[in-house]
Amino acid sequence: MKVLNFPLTQITIALVLGILFTQFITVDTSFTFGIVLTALLLLFVTNVFYKKSIVSKIFYSSFLYFTAFLLGITATIVQDDSLKKDHYSHFTEAFQTPQNVVLILKDKLKTTSYSQRYEASIVKIGTKKASGKIIVNFSPTAALDSLSTGSVLKLEEKLVPYKVAKNPDQFDYSAYLKKQHIYAQIYSNDQFVTVSKTKKTDIFYYVATLRAIIIDNLKRSSFQQEELNVAVALIMGQKQELSQELLQNYQYAGAIHILSVSGLHVGLLLAFINFILRPFPNSKRGRLIKLILTIAFLVFFALLAGLRPSVVRSVTMFSFVAIGLYIRRKNSIYYTLLLSMFVILLVQPSFLFEVGFQLSYLALFFILWFQPILAKIWKPKNIVANYFWDVITVTFAAQLGTLPLSIYYFHQFPGLFFITNLLVIPLLTVIMIIGIVTFSIAAFTVVPIYFIKPLEWLIVALNAIINSIASLEQFIMKNIALNLFLMLILYLAIIATGLFLDKPTFKKAVVALSTVLLLQLSFIHNRWQTASQKEWIVFNSSRNTIITGRIGNHITAYGNDSILRRKSQLLNTYAVANFSTIIASLPATNSFFFNGKKILLIDSSAVFPKNCKPDIIVLTESPKINLERVVALMNPKIIVADASNYKSYQEQWNATCIKMKIPFHATAEKGFYSIK
């Protein structure tokens, strides 16, 4: 794979490693900046005295990659708002008692059953200037029609940090938000909210205003609400108003990506722009005009879609692709793709950890590299057959490139993705064309009915296709276990096989078969490793008791049957992450014996054998006991209290354990408790 030999590839890899380095090791800011400046100076000196000898090349290349590595670290530090002195994370009192907080609303997030949510930027806490992104939660019944992007609010509330994940293998939402530089939230008591008459007028304000005008004009044009919500998601990437049922149908059909404006939408738009600009002469000047118009169209679309991060990222990526097409040199498309990644990560290193960023670049890379390999298998002469063959090969290449990563993150795979894409992509192309024209008209006035109705009918057809495919749940493969190591080996096997299919040789065949064998051995080793493991867990589940015992890949869950059904996602997440299955669900008993340890469970009945000498006592459902007497009688090694107990009881038990010098583990505070 020649692309790996590109210097830009190696520089980009060094930059990525620098960004990843900051996630595992705390870096001193001043020291890092000093090292970067020194490295840049040495790089300049090396470049000035650069000669063609092998030693000079190695020395220069080493400095170049080391500098890129340091730039990755520096870019991450520069973008980390929490390092600023006025960042709200340094206002300790704001997390303890309510303060006067002044903030500016930036974007409306998806409403939940518990709250209406906005992303905001803090500008003042008390009388002091402050900064940083935060999420504001309003009650679901609050009348917030007057609020929009740029609204300046004054609240008297306490900042609440996001809680880390407290169950095994659970998605850590706080870690995800931290990578987006969001460290806390505010729960607003609506009567304390004061809306300033003035608004912060930046580019996001004007974009949000334009978006509101478009949606309002479309409503006045008698656009049906459900279809309008889908159109707004497809064109603008705004999914806030979509129902959970519709989102799930798109997910099951393997088409959830079309509801987030990303690489697919911008790629289709770029293809359409190239089509309508085809009449321009193929001269150097003509191609330059086409490039300028193409980038102008893409920027306009980014504004139309609200400058959301995924849109800005995709437009940037495809702007570089357009430049690569303009240059028309061999491998230029790979260079521009790498250059776009390098620039995006240098400006916004946190994008590296976004699933959308990873999937977009993997899909585009596999389309550029693997689709031509597939296209050589058959070259139909019929125009219609050729079109559908192109759709199939592009879809397969993109799906193959994103498959391991998708399974790693989401643990499921839509088996009918081929049919979905064959039907949806042509339809989406037409929807995008008509939709952009319709939304552009709506930016100025009410849209004529002959634009509204075709777009409505197309979206009705799209939803009907999605609903029909999603209803075939037997084709949806769920709870697929895949860890990071297996995912990387799977990618290695896919790439090695692709290289063999491109230009078959004996050496490539040996490498491809070796990677497949390595993948099989890795799965076998993983199963053997899992079979030798044992684990007993008290989960952190609010007002509920959930306990599991795992021996090998078999899990037994203990608790109330209705609670276990309601918390099935929690248990499934743990089972999938450990390549296991839940073989039984039983009521919790008062005593357990696991891996040589005696465990006594005391529930609300407060009934337990007095002559028991357990290693661990688990308290559930707020039992009314004298813990000091129980500890003195049984002498356990640790007391565990799950989240089904009253908070006041847990505080009393903690005080007792401190007094008696015995460890106390409250899952509500410290997370799940496990024995291995």
Side-chain angles (χ1 to χ4, degrees), residues 245-297:
E245 181 183 358
L246 185 65
L247 287 170
Q248 182 173 286
N249 285 341
Y250 273 81
Q251 183 180 3
Y252 284 173
I256 190 66
H257 56 287
I258 75 172
L259 292 177
S260 300
V261 176
S262 58
L264 173 63
H265 301 72
V266 182
L268 291 174
L269 179 61
L270 179 61
F272 176 65
I273 293 170
N274 285 334
F275 174 77
I276 62 175
L277 295 179
R278 187 174 292 180
F280 278 81
N282 207 25
S283 63
K284 187 175 181 180
R285 184 177 180 182
R287 288 191 292 111
L288 180 60
I289 294 172
K290 285 170 65 175
L291 175 64
I292 294 170
L293 289 174
T294 298
I295 293 177
F297 275 124

Side-chain angles (χ1 to χ4, degrees), residues 239-452:
K239 298 186 293 184
Q240 294 93 328
E241 303 303 323
L242 294 178
S243 67
Q244 191 59 42
E245 181 183 358
L246 185 65
L247 287 170
Q248 182 173 286
N249 285 341
Y250 273 81
Q251 183 180 3
Y252 284 173
I256 190 66
H257 56 287
I258 75 172
L259 292 177
S260 300
V261 176
S262 58
L264 173 63
H265 301 72
V266 182
L268 291 174
L269 179 61
L270 179 61
F272 176 65
I273 293 170
N274 285 334
F275 174 77
I276 62 175
L277 295 179
R278 187 174 292 180
F280 278 81
N282 207 25
S283 63
K284 187 175 181 180
R285 184 177 180 182
R287 288 191 292 111
L288 180 60
I289 294 172
K290 285 170 65 175
L291 175 64
I292 294 170
L293 289 174
T294 298
I295 293 177
F297 275 124
L298 292 177
V299 171
F300 171 74
F301 177 72
L303 292 170
L304 193 67
L307 291 177
R308 301 184 74 81
S310 62
V311 180
V312 174
R313 181 179 66 235
S314 298
V315 165
T316 303
M317 181 173 71
F318 277 96
S319 294
F320 278 95
V321 170
I323 294 170
L325 294 173
Y326 165 74
I327 295 171
R328 294 199 309 183
R329 291 179 182 172
K330 188 178 180 181
N331 294 326
S332 65
I333 191 69
Y334 288 109
Y335 274 111
T336 51
L337 186 64
L338 287 166
L339 184 59
S340 70
M341 179 186 288
F342 184 86
V343 171
I344 289 172
L345 291 179
L346 195 61
V347 175
Q348 193 57 264
S350 63
F351 279 176
L352 179 64
F353 306 101
E354 290 191 5
V355 180
F357 176 87
Q358 298 167 13
L359 292 176
S360 293
Y361 273 95
L362 278 170
L364 188 55
F365 171 76
F366 269 80
I367 289 171
L368 293 174
W369 169 63
F370 197 66
Q371 190 273 340
I373 298 173
L374 296 174
K376 290 189 296 185
I377 297 173
W378 179 45
K379 295 182 179 180
K381 296 179 180 179
N382 183 280
I383 296 176
V384 177
N386 186 64
Y387 169 78
F388 279 103
W389 178 240
D390 282 344
V391 172
I392 289 172
T393 54
V394 167
T395 300
F396 186 83
Q399 197 72 44
L400 184 66
T402 57
L403 177 64
L405 192 67
S406 297
I407 294 176
Y408 173 71
Y409 280 121
F410 308 116
H411 301 292
Q412 67 179 27
F413 176 69
L416 297 176
F417 75 92
F418 254 130
I419 296 174
T420 300
N421 283 282
L422 277 174
L423 297 174
V424 164
I425 289 180
L427 197 57
L428 178 63
T429 305
V430 181
I431 289 174
M432 288 288 295
I433 295 168
I434 298 176
I436 290 173
V437 174
T438 302
F439 277 54
S440 299
I441 296 171
F444 302 98
T445 184
V446 175
V447 183
I449 195 72
Y450 49 79
F451 279 109
I452 293 293

Side-chain angles (χ1 to χ4, degrees), residues 1 10 80 123 132 337 341 346 357 365 452 482 519 533 546 568 585 597 624:
M1 191 181 291
Q10 297 156 8
D80 190 352
V123 294
L337 186 64
M341 179 186 288
L346 195 61
F357 176 87
F365 171 76
I452 293 293
L482 191 71
L519 180 63
Q533 293 175 346
I546 298 177
S568 60
S585 298
K597 289 183 169 53
K624 296 180 179 179

Side-chain angles (χ1 to χ4, degrees), residues 645-662:
N645 298 288
Y646 296 137
K647 186 177 180 180
S648 58
Y649 279 37
Q650 295 182 53
E651 291 173 351
Q652 292 175 13
W653 295 334
N654 186 39
T656 299
C657 288
I658 292 173
K659 177 182 176 181
M660 302 191 73
K661 297 181 180 179
I662 182 172

